[in-house]
Amino acid sequence: MRFIRGAAGYWAVGSTFVARVPEQHFDAQGRPTPAVRELLAARDAAPATDSDLYGLTVLVTTRCNLACPYCFQNTELPQAPEGAIPLRIPGATVDDRKVADILAFTRDRMAELNKTAVKLMLFGGEPTMFPGYCLKLLEGCRPLGLAGASMISNGTLFDAAGAIEMERAGLEWVQISLDGDAADHDRSRITLGGRGTFATILRNVEAASARTALKWRLRVNISRESIDGVQTLIDRLGNRLDTGRFMLKLALIQDVGIGYQKSVRHSAELAKRVGELYLHAMDAGFTVAPPRAAPCLFCDAVGGATGAVVNSDGTLYSCCHSAGQDGYDVGTVTAGYHREPVVRERWVVCGYGAEPNTDKAAERLHADIVDAIVLDRLHATGSLAAATASQFALMDPA
C-alpha cells in the first residue's frame, strides 16, 4: 500500500481502493497511526472480487510494421543514421494449431487453479497484422468464460471495419500509443520504410471510435524531444475525439538496456510538469485514472497462479516485456511450466529491463507528486469513484 501526501491530508492507495485520510491520522514523518494502518491493511487484504479471473496475454505475432527505437522488443539499436530499423526478438506468428494449443492450455490451467473466467489481452508485435487470429482467440475464449478482452495496438491498421468485427467477437478495450504531437511522433513512431504514422493512427481511431462502443486508452509516450508538444497534442486530440470515451496515460520512455538516448529522468520538476499536463487533459474531458497498487494479473505470482503470457510460438513467459527474449522462457503451452527452480530464476516483472537505468528514489518521488496532483483534482471534481472503476476494469500492460 502507498501513502501519498495530498493538498489536504493523505491518500492511501491499495490494490482495489483509493481512500482519502485526514492529516491528523499521520505523524510528522508521514506515517499513519497504528489504528489507521490496521484498518487500511484489513481493507486491502479483503478477498478480491475478481479472484476467479485468469489473465491470458497472447502475443499474436512478434512481427511489427513499425520501427520504434525504444521498443522493449528491440534487441539492438542500429549504428546507422536515425530512422534505421532496430534488431528485434525473433519473428513468429500464431497459426491454427498454436491457437488450439493456447486455448487447451488455458482451459486446463483454469480448471487446475479453479478459475471460472478469463480476461484476454491481444498483444504483439502488432496484433492487427493478423486480425483473423485475433478473432479466433477472442471467439475461442468465449466457452472458457470470457470476462473481458483488450488489445494493445499501434493503430496503423485498426480501421473501423476491423474494429467493428473485433468488438462483435468480444473486444472491449483498445490501447493506442502516440509519441507526442504530430511532428515529434512522426520522427519516432515510423514505418519500416521510415514514414510517419500520426495522421493514419488518428484517422483510424477517430473512425473506429465513432462506429463502435469500444473503450480506449491513449498512451502518450514522453521523451526529451516530445514533452514540449504534449499540451498541443492534448488539444488536437480533444478537437478530433469524443474525449469522454478516452482514458489518457502519460508514460515516460525509459531505456530498456539497448542504449536509447532520448529517455527522460524522473525528477520533482518533471513530475509537476506531467501533473499539469494531466490536469490539462482532464480539463479537455479525458479520463485520467488514479494510481493503483494492484498486482499484475500476469507476472505478480511466480509460476503463473493468476495468469499466463504466451508467445506466438507457444512458449510461456512471466511478462509481456520478457516474451521472446533469450533465457526468459518458463515453459510451453504443450508441456506446461518448467520445474520450479528454473521458473523462479527466470521470472521477471513488468519494467524489469529499465530497472538498471532507473533511480528508484527519484522514480518514487516523481510518482508521488504526479499521483497527488491527479487524486486531488479527481476528488475536487467528484470524479474519483468513476475514474477508479474505469481503471480497475482495464487490464494495464504497464
Side-chain angles (χ1 to χ4, degrees):
M1 187 182 304
R2 291 174 59 201
F3 297 104
I4 304 169
R5 180 67 182 266
Y10 284 80
W11 292 101
V13 180
S15 58
T16 59
F17 74 93
V18 177
R20 189 163 174 261
V21 185
E23 190 169 1
Q24 63 263 31
H25 296 294
F26 285 77
D27 64 20
Q29 285 72 45
R31 295 173 301 204
T33 63
V36 167
R37 182 180 289 277
E38 183 178 351
L39 178 67
L40 292 171
R43 182 175 178 183
D44 207 32
T49 56
D50 60 356
S51 58
D52 63 336
L53 282 178
Y54 185 78
L56 175 65
T57 292
V58 179
L59 280 74
V60 178
T61 182
T62 54
R63 295 182 171 91
C64 189
N65 59 331
L66 301 189
C68 306
Y70 55 81
C71 180
F72 57 76
Q73 291 180 340
N74 293 342
T75 58
E76 184 180 334
L77 289 178
Q79 301 302 312
E82 186 170 353
I85 300 173
L87 297 179
R88 289 176 50 83
I89 59 176
T93 303
V94 297
D95 54 25
D96 288 343
R97 177 61 182 272
K98 283 292 184 292
V99 169
D101 288 343
I102 291 167
L103 294 172
F105 167 84
T106 304
R107 181 194 63 235
D108 294 345
R109 190 71 174 154
M110 288 175 64
E112 179 184 350
L113 297 170
N114 197 30
K115 303 293 186 181
T116 59
V118 60
K119 274 197 171 183
L120 173 66
M121 182 189 295
L122 299 171
F123 203 71
E126 175 48 43
T128 60
M129 292 176 69
F130 299 92
Y133 289 125
C134 293
L135 292 171
K136 287 181 178 182
L137 286 161
L138 286 163
E139 291 161 357
C141 281
R142 282 182 177 176
L144 304 179
L146 184 62
S150 59
M151 180 172 68
I152 312 299
S153 172
N154 59 39
T156 58
L157 305 174
F158 194 56
D159 58 15
I164 291 169
E165 197 169 15
M166 287 203 199
E167 183 184 34
R168 287 174 179 164
L171 187 67
E172 294 178 346
W173 277 93
V174 183
Q175 175 176 291
I176 303 290
S177 294
L178 297 168
D179 288 358
D181 200 24
D184 297 316
H185 175 103
D186 284 343
R187 283 192 296 269
S188 174
R189 192 160 278 256
I190 57 175
T191 67
L192 298 178
R195 297 187 303 276
T197 58
F198 186 89
T200 299
I201 294 170
L202 187 52
R203 182 172 62 248
N204 283 345
V205 171
E206 188 174 24
S209 63
R211 295 185 60 189
T212 69
L214 289 169
K215 301 169 187 176
W216 302 80
R217 183 166 85 159
L218 300 176
R219 178 185 172 100
V220 179
N221 296 317
I222 295 177
S223 69
R224 290 203 307 265
E225 288 186 343
S226 70
I227 189 168
D228 289 341
V230 172
Q231 183 165 321
T232 303
L233 169 67
I234 292 170
D235 293 336
R236 186 191 303 273
L237 296 174
N239 290 331
R240 295 278 296 271
L241 303 174
D242 178 1
T243 57
R245 295 178 55 204
F246 286 80
M247 183 180 292
L248 188 136
K249 166 75 172 178
L250 302 176
L252 304 186
I253 299 176
Q254 300 296 311
D255 175 30
V256 294
I258 57 174
Y260 180 72
Q261 297 297 312
K262 298 176 183 177
S263 59
V264 288
R265 297 295 182 184
H266 299 96
S267 69
E269 180 181 359
L270 177 63
K272 293 173 184 176
R273 191 173 181 187
V274 171
E276 290 298 320
L277 289 170
Y278 270 131
L279 297 184
H280 189 70
M282 285 188 267
D283 288 340
F286 288 100
T287 296
V288 174
R292 63 176 183 174
C296 176
L297 196 58
F298 310 104
C299 62
D300 189 69
V302 176
T306 56
V309 174
V310 188
N311 196 16
S312 310
D313 60 2
T315 305
L316 296 168
Y317 291 84
S318 66
C319 178
C320 58
H321 288 196
S322 63
Q325 303 283 354
D326 287 341
Y328 289 97
D329 59 290
V330 295
T332 69
V333 292
T334 52
Y337 285 96
H338 296 324
R339 292 178 295 107
E340 193 274 341
V342 176
V343 170
R344 186 167 295 278
E345 180 183 347
R346 298 179 179 181
W347 202 268
V348 293
V349 298
C350 304
Y352 78 98
E355 285 186 353
N357 306 303
T358 302
D359 180 332
K360 303 305 289 185
E363 182 181 34
R364 286 192 296 271
L365 176 62
H366 177 102
D368 284 352
I369 293 172
V370 172
D371 292 343
I373 292 171
V374 169
L375 287 167
D376 287 342
R377 170 60 71 86
L378 290 173
H379 174 71
T381 56
S383 51
L384 180 57
T388 302
S390 297
Q391 170 76 337
F392 291 116
L394 173 65
M395 288 193 300
D396 188 350

